[in-house]
Amino acid sequence: MAPASPTPVSHNPPKQSNPLYWRRLLLASLTAPVVGAADVGVYLRLRDRLPGRLATHIGSGGAADGFSGHGGFLTTALVLILGIGLLFGAIVHWVRAASGLQRGMTAVGCALYVFIGSIFAALLLANADVDDPASVNMSGWQVGIPVLITAAAGGLGWLVAGAEPAPAPADSPPPARAVRLSLAKGEVASWSRPVGSRVLPLVGLATVVAGVVVGSTVGWGGVAVPLLLGGVPVALLTGARVTVDRRGLIVAPKVLPRPRLTIPLERMVEATHREVDAMRDFGGWGYRVTGGASGVILRSGDAVSVRLTNGTEFAVTVDDAATAAALLNSLADRERTPGA
Amino acid sequence: MLFRVDPSSNTPLGDQIAACVRGAVADGSVRAGERLPAARDVAESLGVNMHTVLRGYQSLRAEGLIELRRGRGAVVVAGATPGRARLVEHALALVAEARSLGLSDDEVVTVVRTSLSGGI
């Protein structure tokens, strides 16, 4: 008998099947220069009314405590906005295999450019017609309006980025070569298995401990809170339970009911299992999105791999993935075979 | 852990769920120390009542295969070896056979006791 050849996993970039890809990429990367140009416009309009040195930082009391020249101020604003524009352009391209995430990233990018842009504009307005920049102060509404504009920009970005139309549900059963698990008529099946990572909970715990140590020694003002905010989800979300049943493939955190990822059966063309190398195939651990695939990769090794109707792969690493894949194929058979 | 149940079968669903876990311990696909999915999740997944799943889990606890702890869920105990699970399966098969022959509980116990004393 010839040795079983490994399932050929496509190494060609999958065809760009996301119809909103270009719209979102343009939205994420062109909004930044537009916002930057708007800031320059505001500056040019106000230039004659601005003091020689601008108040550029407003302390917690509402009074200016940081200053710079015109050129430095504009350069900082443009570098920041355009830099973040490049970053989010790259992110939106990078997460193209996960349409919902891509939409969210487009909206977050738009909101971020507009937030930074409007804060710079508000600073310029606060500097207008003052003789001494040290007397510049900003009141609540001068910060509140940028926040409102930001929320509006995020919402608008979300709407323009658009929801991908639901792909046509798979209408034919998985191919004959796919492995199945025989189910009797009327039999209900559910497969479930926990998957953990040895590394990530320790990383999360170490981050939390570092946060507590820094907070109690240096103070809670600096990096302590970000450390805690970063460490807690890492520690809590790195154990998952993978379930396969009539609803499809479900990945949920072990200790919390949400967030939960569900791939319904009608989005699956075929399920297989394969060996995943976390670093080589997905560039790391966690919820990963790469060019043609997304997945919950908590370790290297055996993984359920599902080919989706939109041409991408969804993978989740879990032991006994072969049983899970076989059950998915059988459930898909049942759903797509009338009268079964 | 693969649960397969047939709602149209005469065997109660709780017993079918217990049999799935027992079988998984017996064939080594679920090992000591492993945590079973929460009863609520199994119920939601199979589309059955949560109390049905709990009934199954309780008989597994009575058989000494799992431990039920508040907040920690159902965990396969250290002593739940494949052999132990198979022994429980044999006992259940013995009872089923005796019932189909119309034996009373006392008669079944007598049969077991006799084989115990005869086996030494």
Side-chain angles (χ1 to χ4, degrees), chain B residues 6 14-17 21 23 29 31 33 35 38 49 61 69 72-73 84-85 105 108 113 115 119:
Chain B
D6 184 353
D15 293 355
Q16 292 188 40
I17 287 165
V21 177
S29 60
R31 283 183 291 274
R35 194 179 303 191
N49 192 299
R61 179 176 60 177
R69 282 204 218 131
R72 283 208 61 218
R84 174 80 193 249
D105 287 8
V108 179
R113 189 167 292 137
S115 13

Side-chain angles (χ1 to χ4, degrees), chain A residues 12-67:
Chain A
N12 316 321
K15 61 180 183 354
Q16 194 48 68
S17 57
N18 179 348
L20 297 166
Y21 172 79
W22 285 109
R23 187 201 292 188
R24 290 171 177 177
L25 187 66
L26 290 177
L27 187 60
S29 40
L30 292 187
T31 308
V34 169
V35 170
D39 267 354
V40 172
V42 170
Y43 168 75
L44 291 177
R45 261 193 92 85
L46 293 176
R47 184 166 50 181
D48 300 337
R49 293 159 56 196
L50 295 174
R53 282 184 72 71
L54 298 171
T56 54
H57 186 267
I58 309 294
S60 52
D65 60 2
F67 307 92

Side-chain angles (χ1 to χ4, degrees), chain A residues 224-264:
Chain A
V225 172
L227 281 173
L228 285 180
L229 289 181
V232 169
V234 170
L236 287 183
L237 294 177
T238 47
R241 181 164 277 284
V242 183
T243 304
V244 170
D245 60 27
R246 62 208 149 82
R247 296 168 295 181
L249 175 61
I250 302 165
V251 186
K254 223 183 264 182
V255 286
L256 302 167
R258 308 254 153 209
R260 178 194 273 216
L261 238 155
T262 303
I263 311 286

Side-chain angles (χ1 to χ4, degrees), chain B residues 70-82:
Chain B
R70 212 174 180 73
R72 283 208 61 218
V75 181
V76 179
V77 298
T81 57

Side-chain angles (χ1 to χ4, degrees), chain A:
Chain A
M1 206 176 97
S5 58
T7 320
V9 176
S10 163
H11 287 289
N12 316 321
K15 61 180 183 354
Q16 194 48 68
S17 57
N18 179 348
L20 297 166
Y21 172 79
W22 285 109
R23 187 201 292 188
R24 290 171 177 177
L25 187 66
L26 290 177
L27 187 60
S29 40
L30 292 187
T31 308
V34 169
V35 170
D39 267 354
V40 172
V42 170
Y43 168 75
L44 291 177
R45 261 193 92 85
L46 293 176
R47 184 166 50 181
D48 300 337
R49 293 159 56 196
L50 295 174
R53 282 184 72 71
L54 298 171
T56 54
H57 186 267
I58 309 294
S60 52
D65 60 2
F67 307 92
S68 90
H70 290 200
F73 180 86
L74 271 184
T75 311
T76 309
L78 289 178
V79 165
L80 205 57
I81 294 170
L82 297 180
I84 294 176
L86 282 178
L87 178 70
F88 271 82
I91 290 176
V92 163
H93 170 72
W94 190 249
V95 302
R96 63 195 181 279
S99 180
L101 184 65
Q102 193 191 35
R103 186 185 190 189
M105 283 301 169
T106 308
V108 168
C110 291
L112 212 54
Y113 318 141
V114 170
F115 179 69
I116 296 168
S118 57
I119 286 289
F120 276 108
L123 273 171
L124 285 173
L125 284 168
N127 275 286
D129 301 324
V130 296
D131 298 325
D132 175 14
S135 69
V136 167
N137 56 43
M138 277 176 94
S139 57
W141 65 266
Q142 277 168 308
V143 179
I145 287 177
V147 168
L148 288 179
I149 298 175
T150 299
L156 200 63
W158 173 262
L159 289 178
V160 176
E164 193 176 351
D171 47 5
S172 57
R177 65 184 146 86
V179 179
R180 270 111 167 139
L181 189 150
S182 66
L183 286 177
K185 196 174 160 66
E187 191 176 22
V188 185
S190 159
W191 180 93
S192 167
R193 212 170 169 105
V195 58
S197 160
R198 280 188 295 274
V199 187
L200 286 175
L202 295 178
V203 171
L205 196 65
T207 314
V208 170
V209 169
V212 171
V213 168
V214 170
S216 51
T217 52
V218 182
W220 296 97
V223 293
V225 172
L227 281 173
L228 285 180
L229 289 181
V232 169
V234 170
L236 287 183
L237 294 177
T238 47
R241 181 164 277 284
V242 183
T243 304
V244 170
D245 60 27
R246 62 208 149 82
R247 296 168 295 181
L249 175 61
I250 302 165
V251 186
K254 223 183 264 182
V255 286
L256 302 167
R258 308 254 153 209
R260 178 194 273 216
L261 238 155
T262 303
I263 311 286
L265 292 170
E266 74 243 26
R267 283 188 56 203
M268 300 180 187
V269 176
E270 179 189 5
T272 53
H273 71 111
R274 70 178 182 103
E275 286 293 308
V276 162
D277 184 316
M279 212 54 208
R280 204 189 55 217
D281 298 344
F282 286 92
W285 294 266
Y287 175 60
R288 312 298 304 175
V289 181
T290 67
S294 61
V296 179
I297 308 299
L298 296 181
R299 56 157 178 72
S300 291
D302 202 9
V304 184
S305 160
V306 182
R307 197 147 55 79
L308 303 178
T309 48
N310 67 5
T312 65
E313 179 199 8
F314 178 82
V316 51
T317 52
V318 64
D319 290 345
D320 194 22
T323 308
L327 180 58
L328 279 171
N329 287 325
S330 297
L331 291 169
D333 272 345
R334 181 184 272 180
E335 200 186 58
R336 289 165 213 166
T337 316

